[in-house]
Amino acid sequence: MFSTFPWFKQGWSSLNFSPMEEDGYGTLPTSHLLGSVPAVISEEKKSSLGEGGASPSNLNVFPPSVGGYQAPGSGNPLDGNEQSGTDWKGFFSISSYSPFFNVDTDVVVDRLMSSFYPRSNFFSKIDANPDLYGPLWISTTLVFMLAAFGNTATYVMQIKSDPTKAWNFDVGYVNWAACVIYGYTILVPLAFYFLLQYFGSHPSLVRFWCMWGYSLFIFIPSSLLLIIPVEILRWIIILLAGGASSWFVSSNFKYYVEGIDMAALVVSALLLQFALAIFIKVFFFA
């Protein structure tokens, strides 16, 4: 039947199907086949992408990139990695912030305890994984404790001075506490971040928020003690708490700007932290 097609017969006979011969199936060209893929990516390209295909320029940046965040290894806090690969679209993506809340309870407790020891290098603890869970939890807890215990303190003092006088719960304490605590925790680190940027340094805003947030933890147990209706004891408590918190901030901030003549900024950070302690005493526990 195929004899009527001499061109087909010639093409068919030219193929060699013998598996024993050296030029068998292996000699058939495959470059024209659909679905063929290039070879494995070169080692040069792999090294530039880093482990897991993530570019090192996207590590520890804020605002976080849309692609996510990966915690960097330990290193110089002034390495300036935060300036490369910044994507402001990540600022409006909730998923971009999830790595900042990926911490264990043991890690948070260890950092809370470290805030009581001003001599410890707090940035060495958070360098590989700065978190925002601790600062958010501390700030929110402090807001409600200042509002609740501030009203309790005024009630105790009023009962002590004039038991017959009517007392009303001041709901405005909640608004004031939220504005002061959240505003301080967000704006003060942000201000120092831009100041250091202006002076040519490249700090990490996330680390600043983390450190300043944990510095407020000492005011939580202090607010409970400030209910005691003894004014001189209240001042001693708040001065000790403010001094410890101020020293924690200034000592760690001094370490962060080590090698840079920023003594005025370090003193400013100390005074602002102490001023917050005085404001808490005067406004909520007067």
Short mmCIF file of all heavy atoms in Angstrom, two decimals, residues 90-128:
data_model
loop_
_atom_site.label_atom_id
_atom_site.label_comp_id
_atom_site.label_asym_id
_atom_site.label_seq_id
_atom_site.Cartn_x
_atom_site.Cartn_y
_atom_site.Cartn_z
N GLY A 90 4.11 47.70 50.74
CA GLY A 90 3.98 46.78 51.86
C GLY A 90 3.44 47.43 53.11
O GLY A 90 2.97 46.75 54.02
N PHE A 91 3.49 48.76 53.17
CA PHE A 91 2.97 49.48 54.33
C PHE A 91 1.47 49.27 54.48
O PHE A 91 0.94 49.29 55.58
CB PHE A 91 3.29 50.97 54.18
CG PHE A 91 2.95 51.79 55.39
CD1 PHE A 91 3.84 51.92 56.43
CD2 PHE A 91 1.73 52.44 55.47
CE1 PHE A 91 3.51 52.68 57.55
CE2 PHE A 91 1.40 53.20 56.57
CZ PHE A 91 2.30 53.31 57.61
N PHE A 92 0.77 49.06 53.36
CA PHE A 92 -0.68 48.92 53.38
C PHE A 92 -1.11 47.46 53.29
O PHE A 92 -2.30 47.18 53.14
CB PHE A 92 -1.29 49.71 52.22
CG PHE A 92 -0.92 51.17 52.23
CD1 PHE A 92 0.09 51.65 51.42
CD2 PHE A 92 -1.59 52.06 53.06
CE1 PHE A 92 0.44 53.00 51.44
CE2 PHE A 92 -1.24 53.40 53.09
CZ PHE A 92 -0.23 53.87 52.28
N SER A 93 -0.16 46.53 53.37
CA SER A 93 -0.49 45.11 53.30
C SER A 93 -0.39 44.50 54.70
O SER A 93 0.68 44.52 55.32
CB SER A 93 0.49 44.40 52.35
OG SER A 93 0.26 43.01 52.35
N ILE A 94 -1.52 43.97 55.19
CA ILE A 94 -1.54 43.40 56.54
C ILE A 94 -0.63 42.18 56.63
O ILE A 94 0.04 41.97 57.63
CB ILE A 94 -2.99 43.03 56.93
CG1 ILE A 94 -3.86 44.29 56.97
CG2 ILE A 94 -3.03 42.32 58.28
CD1 ILE A 94 -5.31 44.02 57.29
N SER A 95 -0.59 41.39 55.56
CA SER A 95 0.25 40.18 55.58
C SER A 95 1.73 40.50 55.72
O SER A 95 2.50 39.66 56.17
CB SER A 95 0.01 39.37 54.31
OG SER A 95 0.36 40.11 53.16
N SER A 96 2.12 41.71 55.35
CA SER A 96 3.53 42.08 55.45
C SER A 96 3.99 42.20 56.90
O SER A 96 5.18 42.11 57.18
CB SER A 96 3.78 43.40 54.71
OG SER A 96 3.45 43.28 53.35
N TYR A 97 3.05 42.43 57.80
CA TYR A 97 3.40 42.63 59.21
C TYR A 97 3.40 41.33 60.02
O TYR A 97 3.82 41.34 61.17
CB TYR A 97 2.43 43.62 59.86
CG TYR A 97 2.51 45.01 59.27
CD1 TYR A 97 1.69 45.39 58.22
CD2 TYR A 97 3.41 45.94 59.77
CE1 TYR A 97 1.76 46.66 57.69
CE2 TYR A 97 3.48 47.22 59.25
CZ TYR A 97 2.66 47.57 58.20
OH TYR A 97 2.73 48.84 57.66
N SER A 98 2.91 40.25 59.44
CA SER A 98 2.82 39.00 60.19
C SER A 98 4.15 38.49 60.72
O SER A 98 4.19 37.97 61.84
CB SER A 98 2.14 37.93 59.32
OG SER A 98 2.87 37.70 58.13
N PRO A 99 5.28 38.64 60.00
CA PRO A 99 6.55 38.18 60.58
C PRO A 99 6.95 38.92 61.84
O PRO A 99 7.68 38.38 62.67
CB PRO A 99 7.57 38.41 59.45
CG PRO A 99 6.76 38.44 58.21
CD PRO A 99 5.47 39.07 58.60
N PHE A 100 6.49 40.18 62.01
CA PHE A 100 6.84 40.93 63.20
C PHE A 100 6.09 40.44 64.44
O PHE A 100 6.39 40.85 65.55
CB PHE A 100 6.54 42.42 63.00
CG PHE A 100 7.30 43.05 61.87
CD1 PHE A 100 6.66 43.80 60.90
CD2 PHE A 100 8.67 42.88 61.75
CE1 PHE A 100 7.36 44.38 59.86
CE2 PHE A 100 9.38 43.45 60.72
CZ PHE A 100 8.72 44.20 59.77
N PHE A 101 5.08 39.59 64.24
CA PHE A 101 4.32 39.03 65.34
C PHE A 101 4.59 37.53 65.50
O PHE A 101 3.93 36.87 66.29
CB PHE A 101 2.83 39.27 65.13
CG PHE A 101 2.45 40.72 65.16
CD1 PHE A 101 2.55 41.50 64.02
CD2 PHE A 101 2.00 41.31 66.33
CE1 PHE A 101 2.21 42.85 64.04
CE2 PHE A 101 1.65 42.65 66.36
CZ PHE A 101 1.76 43.43 65.22
N ASN A 102 5.56 37.03 64.77
CA ASN A 102 5.90 35.61 64.82
C ASN A 102 6.98 35.37 65.88
O ASN A 102 8.15 35.15 65.57
CB ASN A 102 6.38 35.15 63.44
CG ASN A 102 6.61 33.65 63.40
OD1 ASN A 102 6.07 32.90 64.21
ND2 ASN A 102 7.43 33.20 62.46
N VAL A 103 6.57 35.44 67.15
CA VAL A 103 7.50 35.23 68.26
C VAL A 103 6.85 34.28 69.26
O VAL A 103 5.63 34.24 69.40
CB VAL A 103 7.86 36.55 68.97
CG1 VAL A 103 8.81 37.38 68.13
CG2 VAL A 103 6.62 37.36 69.31
N ASP A 104 7.70 33.53 69.96
CA ASP A 104 7.22 32.61 70.98
C ASP A 104 7.03 33.34 72.31
O ASP A 104 7.59 34.42 72.55
CB ASP A 104 8.21 31.46 71.17
CG ASP A 104 8.35 30.62 69.91
OD1 ASP A 104 7.37 30.55 69.15
OD2 ASP A 104 9.43 30.06 69.68
N THR A 105 6.26 32.73 73.18
CA THR A 105 6.04 33.31 74.50
C THR A 105 7.35 33.42 75.28
O THR A 105 7.59 34.41 75.98
CB THR A 105 5.04 32.45 75.29
OG1 THR A 105 3.82 32.34 74.54
CG2 THR A 105 4.74 33.06 76.65
N ASP A 106 8.21 32.42 75.16
CA ASP A 106 9.49 32.45 75.87
C ASP A 106 10.35 33.62 75.42
O ASP A 106 11.04 34.24 76.23
CB ASP A 106 10.25 31.13 75.64
CG ASP A 106 9.52 29.93 76.25
OD1 ASP A 106 8.71 30.15 77.18
OD2 ASP A 106 9.76 28.79 75.79
N VAL A 107 10.31 33.93 74.13
CA VAL A 107 11.10 35.05 73.61
C VAL A 107 10.57 36.37 74.18
O VAL A 107 11.35 37.23 74.60
CB VAL A 107 11.06 35.06 72.07
CG1 VAL A 107 11.76 36.29 71.52
CG2 VAL A 107 11.70 33.79 71.51
N VAL A 108 9.25 36.52 74.18
CA VAL A 108 8.66 37.76 74.69
C VAL A 108 8.95 37.93 76.18
O VAL A 108 9.31 39.02 76.64
CB VAL A 108 7.14 37.77 74.43
CG1 VAL A 108 6.49 38.99 75.08
CG2 VAL A 108 6.86 37.76 72.94
N VAL A 109 8.82 36.84 76.95
CA VAL A 109 9.10 36.92 78.39
C VAL A 109 10.56 37.26 78.64
O VAL A 109 10.88 38.07 79.53
CB VAL A 109 8.72 35.57 79.06
CG1 VAL A 109 9.20 35.55 80.50
CG2 VAL A 109 7.22 35.35 79.01
N ASP A 110 11.45 36.69 77.87
CA ASP A 110 12.88 37.00 78.02
C ASP A 110 13.16 38.47 77.74
O ASP A 110 13.95 39.11 78.44
CB ASP A 110 13.70 36.11 77.09
CG ASP A 110 15.19 36.40 77.19
OD1 ASP A 110 15.75 36.23 78.29
OD2 ASP A 110 15.79 36.79 76.17
N ARG A 111 12.49 39.01 76.75
CA ARG A 111 12.68 40.43 76.43
C ARG A 111 12.03 41.33 77.48
O ARG A 111 12.55 42.42 77.78
CB ARG A 111 12.12 40.73 75.05
CG ARG A 111 12.89 40.03 73.94
CD ARG A 111 12.29 40.24 72.56
NE ARG A 111 13.08 39.55 71.56
CZ ARG A 111 12.85 39.59 70.25
NH1 ARG A 111 11.83 40.30 69.79
NH2 ARG A 111 13.62 38.93 69.40
N LEU A 112 10.92 40.89 78.05
CA LEU A 112 10.32 41.66 79.13
C LEU A 112 11.24 41.72 80.34
O LEU A 112 11.41 42.77 80.96
CB LEU A 112 8.98 41.03 79.53
CG LEU A 112 7.83 41.14 78.53
CD1 LEU A 112 6.62 40.37 79.03
CD2 LEU A 112 7.46 42.59 78.27
N MET A 113 11.86 40.59 80.66
CA MET A 113 12.79 40.57 81.79
C MET A 113 14.03 41.41 81.51
O MET A 113 14.59 42.03 82.40
CB MET A 113 13.19 39.12 82.10
CG MET A 113 12.05 38.24 82.61
SD MET A 113 11.33 38.85 84.18
CE MET A 113 9.81 39.64 83.59
N SER A 114 14.45 41.43 80.25
CA SER A 114 15.63 42.21 79.88
C SER A 114 15.39 43.71 80.03
O SER A 114 16.34 44.47 80.22
CB SER A 114 16.04 41.90 78.44
OG SER A 114 16.39 40.55 78.30
N SER A 115 14.12 44.13 79.93
CA SER A 115 13.84 45.56 80.08
C SER A 115 14.04 46.05 81.51
O SER A 115 14.10 47.26 81.74
CB SER A 115 12.40 45.85 79.63
OG SER A 115 11.46 45.21 80.49
N PHE A 116 14.14 45.12 82.47
CA PHE A 116 14.41 45.50 83.86
C PHE A 116 15.90 45.63 84.13
O PHE A 116 16.29 46.10 85.21
CB PHE A 116 13.82 44.47 84.83
CG PHE A 116 12.33 44.58 84.99
CD1 PHE A 116 11.49 43.70 84.33
CD2 PHE A 116 11.76 45.56 85.78
CE1 PHE A 116 10.11 43.78 84.47
CE2 PHE A 116 10.39 45.66 85.93
CZ PHE A 116 9.57 44.77 85.27
N TYR A 117 16.73 45.20 83.19
CA TYR A 117 18.17 45.24 83.38
C TYR A 117 18.78 46.19 82.36
O TYR A 117 19.10 45.79 81.24
CB TYR A 117 18.79 43.85 83.24
CG TYR A 117 18.22 42.84 84.20
CD1 TYR A 117 17.22 41.96 83.80
CD2 TYR A 117 18.67 42.78 85.52
CE1 TYR A 117 16.68 41.04 84.69
CE2 TYR A 117 18.14 41.87 86.41
CZ TYR A 117 17.14 41.00 85.99
OH TYR A 117 16.61 40.09 86.86
N PRO A 118 18.94 47.46 82.73
CA PRO A 118 19.44 48.45 81.76
C PRO A 118 20.83 48.14 81.22
O PRO A 118 21.18 48.58 80.13
CB PRO A 118 19.46 49.75 82.58
CG PRO A 118 18.51 49.51 83.71
CD PRO A 118 18.63 48.06 84.03
N ARG A 119 21.64 47.37 81.95
CA ARG A 119 22.99 47.11 81.48
C ARG A 119 23.04 46.10 80.35
O ARG A 119 24.04 45.98 79.67
CB ARG A 119 23.85 46.61 82.66
CG ARG A 119 24.10 47.67 83.73
CD ARG A 119 25.05 47.17 84.80
NE ARG A 119 25.31 48.17 85.81
CZ ARG A 119 26.13 47.99 86.84
NH1 ARG A 119 26.73 46.82 87.00
NH2 ARG A 119 26.33 48.96 87.71
N SER A 120 21.99 45.33 80.17
CA SER A 120 21.99 44.32 79.12
C SER A 120 21.85 44.99 77.75
O SER A 120 21.20 46.03 77.62
CB SER A 120 20.85 43.33 79.32
OG SER A 120 19.61 43.99 79.23
N ASN A 121 22.49 44.40 76.77
CA ASN A 121 22.42 44.91 75.40
C ASN A 121 21.15 44.37 74.75
O ASN A 121 21.13 43.26 74.23
CB ASN A 121 23.67 44.48 74.63
CG ASN A 121 23.69 45.05 73.23
OD1 ASN A 121 22.81 45.81 72.84
ND2 ASN A 121 24.69 44.69 72.47
N PHE A 122 20.10 45.17 74.77
CA PHE A 122 18.81 44.70 74.29
C PHE A 122 18.82 44.50 72.78
O PHE A 122 18.14 43.60 72.27
CB PHE A 122 17.72 45.71 74.68
CG PHE A 122 16.33 45.24 74.40
CD1 PHE A 122 15.72 44.28 75.19
CD2 PHE A 122 15.61 45.76 73.33
CE1 PHE A 122 14.43 43.85 74.94
CE2 PHE A 122 14.32 45.33 73.07
CZ PHE A 122 13.73 44.38 73.87
N PHE A 123 19.56 45.31 72.05
CA PHE A 123 19.58 45.19 70.59
C PHE A 123 20.21 43.88 70.14
O PHE A 123 19.89 43.37 69.06
CB PHE A 123 20.33 46.37 69.96
CG PHE A 123 19.50 47.61 69.86
CD1 PHE A 123 19.80 48.73 70.63
CD2 PHE A 123 18.40 47.66 69.02
CE1 PHE A 123 19.03 49.87 70.54
CE2 PHE A 123 17.63 48.81 68.93
CZ PHE A 123 17.94 49.92 69.69
N SER A 124 21.10 43.32 70.94
CA SER A 124 21.68 42.02 70.58
C SER A 124 20.64 40.91 70.68
O SER A 124 20.75 39.88 70.00
CB SER A 124 22.88 41.69 71.48
OG SER A 124 22.45 41.53 72.84
N LYS A 125 19.61 41.11 71.52
CA LYS A 125 18.55 40.11 71.65
C LYS A 125 17.56 40.17 70.50
O LYS A 125 17.02 39.16 70.07
CB LYS A 125 17.79 40.30 72.98
CG LYS A 125 18.60 39.94 74.21
CD LYS A 125 17.76 40.14 75.46
CE LYS A 125 18.51 39.69 76.70
NZ LYS A 125 18.69 38.22 76.72
N ILE A 126 17.30 41.37 70.01
CA ILE A 126 16.27 41.54 68.98
C ILE A 126 16.86 41.70 67.59
O ILE A 126 16.11 41.87 66.62
CB ILE A 126 15.39 42.77 69.29
CG1 ILE A 126 16.20 44.06 69.18
CG2 ILE A 126 14.76 42.63 70.67
CD1 ILE A 126 15.37 45.32 69.32
N ASP A 127 18.19 41.63 67.47
CA ASP A 127 18.82 41.91 66.18
C ASP A 127 18.34 40.97 65.09
O ASP A 127 18.08 41.38 63.96
CB ASP A 127 20.35 41.82 66.33
CG ASP A 127 21.06 42.25 65.05
OD1 ASP A 127 20.80 43.37 64.59
OD2 ASP A 127 21.87 41.46 64.52
N ALA A 128 18.21 39.68 65.40
CA ALA A 128 17.81 38.70 64.39
C ALA A 128 16.31 38.67 64.16
O ALA A 128 15.86 38.24 63.10
CB ALA A 128 18.31 37.31 64.79
#
